[in-house]
């Protein structure tokens, strides 16, 4: 089971829409998820190590270097609303999906 975190700058509107997109990707790929949480980048940075995968806008991936060093898969998205991009990058990340 994967624990997934989605983050945006403020943690309100965009991250909620990213979470909804992630839910579609999870369903499409039939991925078993334990926890799916959305939040601001600042909260996400401190909570990231509790998750297997972090999705964030591409220009903020450097904020998660510490989590990445501890084995968290940090996935930067160019278009945070794109289900196709999120699905493709999740598959490419090497995260075990089932």
């Amino acid at each position: 089971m994967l624990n997934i975190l989605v983050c945006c700058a403020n943690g309100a509107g965009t991250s909620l829409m990213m979470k909804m997109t992630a839910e579609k990707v999870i369903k499409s790929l039939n991925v078993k998820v334990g926890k799916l949480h959305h939040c601001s980048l600042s909260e996400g940075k401190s909570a990231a190590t509790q998750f297997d995968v972090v999705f964030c806008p591409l220009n903020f991936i450097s904020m998660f270097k510490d989590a990445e060093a501890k084995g968290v898969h940090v996935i930067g998205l160019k278009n945070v609303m794109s289900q196709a991009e999120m699905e493709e990058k999740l598959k490419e990340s090497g995260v075990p999906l089932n």
Side-chain angles (χ1 to χ4, degrees), residues 14-34:
T14 304
S15 69
L16 179 57
M17 289 187 284
M18 286 172 70
K19 179 182 177 185
M20 292 165 53
T21 302
E23 288 169 342
K24 292 176 189 172
V25 168
I26 289 161
K27 187 175 181 179
S28 166
L29 296 175
N30 197 27
V31 175
K32 303 254 186 286
V33 173

Side-chain angles (χ1 to χ4, degrees), residues 29-90:
L29 296 175
N30 197 27
V31 175
K32 303 254 186 286
V33 173
K35 181 167 45 170
L36 175 59
H37 182 66
H38 73 96
C39 64
S40 67
L41 286 166
S42 58
E43 180 188 335
K45 183 179 177 183
S46 59
T49 56
Q50 300 167 31
F51 294 85
D52 303 301
V53 178
V54 174
F55 286 106
C56 68
L58 194 57
N59 49 329
F60 294 114
I61 58 173
S62 62
M63 290 181 67
F64 297 95
K65 291 294 179 205
D66 291 345
E68 212 166 20
K70 293 179 180 171
V72 177
H73 295 270
V74 179
I75 301 173
L77 301 169
K78 190 180 283 188
N79 178 354
V80 295
M81 300 304 153
S82 170
Q83 181 178 342
E85 181 183 3
M86 190 179 281
E87 194 169 313
E88 178 185 334
K89 290 202 172 178
L90 183 59

